[in-house]
Amino acid sequence: MDKSDGNGGAKKRVMVTFDIDGTLIVSTGSNSNRLHRQAFAFALKQVFGINDANIDVIPHHGSTDPAILLNTAVYYGISSDLAAEKLPEMKSKMVEYAINNAKHVGEGLEVLPGVDSLLDVLSSNNVPVGLVTGNLEDIAWIKMEGLGLRKHFSVPNFGGFGSDNIDRGELVKIAATRAEKLFPGGFDLRVHVGDTPNDIRAAESGGAIAVGVCTGVFSRAELEMASNGTAIMLPDLTDSKGFMHLLGF
């Protein structure tokens, strides 16, 4: 969006992307993130016959869905070559499950405090807002729709997703490319908000300002260690006014 500098000078063009899990929403209870977890299990069952696959057998926070599929399959005894060959089929099965069971998306998920208000403020100020997440794109938007947040995102929707690249570091760049096509003229400031070290690294390698939020499983110190020294750290997203100030409003 264009923003006046307040003195009649050149206008500043700003865009913001958000991670999803641990940043906008949080897993809760015994059925935490149930739809997404079940989608992984369904894909591994349908493609490899693995019963009751559990992604918690591998470290996965801050990873992409394709990387989680590959690493979980290998953990359960599938060769890495075969897992890679079958990755498109596994991704397709995940999306199939999520679409067919979208009505259950809210089970074990909650919107984090301040998120709805902040997204509303950004939208009201015509700031282009998208997603950068390891989630497959269809699953990402199913979550946003089901939890009542999709209405705040720019239309057409844009972002960088696990379905685009297995490497999270590429996703900020992909989101920027898509946003620049939708909002010609480029941006003076790009910001990415996330709760994992991979979010911090991806933002910085992708030319965006990294904003780390301590609402996931990683501490402020762990997020700071991932940064080149330029990341901004916030405890959460409850201070909409402060966040907008960071953008220059």
Side-chain angles (χ1 to χ4, degrees), residues 166-208:
I166 196 169
D167 179 4
R168 196 181 188 101
E170 294 298 312
L171 304 185
V172 170
K173 301 173 188 176
I174 290 170
T177 298
R178 288 173 173 163
E180 285 164 3
K181 290 179 180 177
L182 293 172
F183 306 96
F187 297 97
D188 302 304
L189 177 66
R190 292 190 287 113
V191 174
H192 175 61
V193 186
D195 68 296
T196 74
N198 282 344
D199 285 301
I200 303 299
R201 287 187 283 265
E204 292 176 350
S205 68

Side-chain angles (χ1 to χ4, degrees), residues 136-151:
L136 300 178
E137 182 171 6
D138 289 298
I139 294 176
W141 292 120
I142 285 171
K143 286 182 179 180
M144 294 298 91
E145 184 71 38
L147 291 165
L149 298 178
R150 189 169 185 173
K151 64 191 177 188

Side-chain angles (χ1 to χ4, degrees), residues 22-44:
T23 299
L24 298 178
I25 63 177
V26 64
S27 299
T28 60
S30 58
N31 285 328
S32 66
N33 203 6
R34 183 175 180 270
L35 177 74
H36 204 170
R37 288 175 174 275
Q38 291 288 355
F40 280 113
F42 179 80
L44 289 159

Side-chain angles (χ1 to χ4, degrees), residues 93-170:
K93 289 297 181 183
M94 277 192 71
V95 171
E96 175 188 326
Y97 182 89
I99 290 173
N100 289 339
N101 295 275
K103 64 183 179 181
H104 300 298
V105 68
E107 293 182 22
L109 290 176
E110 291 180 2
V111 177
L112 280 160
V115 165
D116 191 76
S117 296
L118 174 58
L119 291 176
D120 184 55
V121 170
L122 288 166
S123 176
S124 298
N125 281 277
N126 299 316
V127 175
V129 179
L131 293 173
V132 168
T133 171
N135 289 195
L136 300 178
E137 182 171 6
D138 289 298
I139 294 176
W141 292 120
I142 285 171
K143 286 182 179 180
M144 294 298 91
E145 184 71 38
L147 291 165
L149 298 178
R150 189 169 185 173
K151 64 191 177 188
H152 298 306
F153 287 86
S154 301
V155 179
N157 295 147
F158 73 91
F161 304 91
S163 37
D164 296 317
N165 198 301
I166 196 169
D167 179 4
R168 196 181 188 101
E170 294 298 312

Side-chain angles (χ1 to χ4, degrees), residues 34-61:
R34 183 175 180 270
L35 177 74
H36 204 170
R37 288 175 174 275
Q38 291 288 355
F40 280 113
F42 179 80
L44 289 159
K45 168 71 172 177
Q46 292 295 306
V47 177
F48 293 120
I50 300 170
N51 291 312
D52 302 319
N54 184 350
I55 62 171
D56 289 336
V57 297
I58 62 162
H60 57 78
H61 294 288

